[in-house]
Each structure stands twice: as structure tokens, then as C-alpha cells.
Amino acid sequence: MFTMAHELAHIWIGSGGIFNLYDLQPFDNRTEIFCNKVAAEFLVPAKELQESWNEANNLRIRTNAFQSV
């Protein structure tokens, strides 16, 4: 799924969605970084990840407080 979203991002910005090993060098290629971020956001939206993280962290804090009693 990540690769599909990544390649669709290439098509979306007009840089082509065909895999080209040469385009991956150097790794800090701005287009590749952008397409990676688009794919990541598509699969795990940052807002939902942050909300889940905060919820899990709050649960951990409450659990630790309960165990301390």
C-alpha cells in the first residue's frame, strides 16, 4: 500500500510514477521525500496518530498512578 500511494504521489505531482532506481539517488531527493510523506499521511494520518498516541499515553499515566497506590 505504501508503494502504491508513493507512486500515485509521483503521478499527482507530474514526476512520473514509474520506478527508477537512479531517481532514488541521493536519498535526500526532495521529490522522494515528499512522496514518502504523502504515502505515510495517506496510510496513517498524522492527526489520528497523534490522537491515538495521546490516548495511549494518558492510559499509561493513569495505569501507573493506579499501580502506585
Side-chain angles (χ1 to χ4, degrees), residues 1-11 17 35 38-39 42-43:
M1 290 298 295
F2 180 89
T3 301
M4 183 184 307
H6 175 99
E7 296 304 323
L8 285 172
H10 273 287
I11 293 169
C35 291
V38 168
F42 174 75
L43 293 171

Side-chain angles (χ1 to χ4, degrees), residues 39-58:
E41 182 68 20
F42 174 75
L43 293 171
V44 183
K47 181 180 177 186
E48 291 182 26
L49 177 61
Q50 186 65 49
E51 288 171 357
S52 295
W53 182 268
N54 290 340
E55 184 179 308
N57 193 41
N58 288 337

Side-chain angles (χ1 to χ4, degrees), residues 21-42:
L21 186 59
Y22 180 76
D23 288 341
L24 294 176
Q25 309 301 324
F27 181 73
D28 64 351
N29 178 299
R30 291 177 64 197
T31 300
E32 289 302 313
I33 292 169
F34 174 79
C35 291
N36 284 342
K37 288 181 178 183
V38 168
E41 182 68 20
F42 174 75

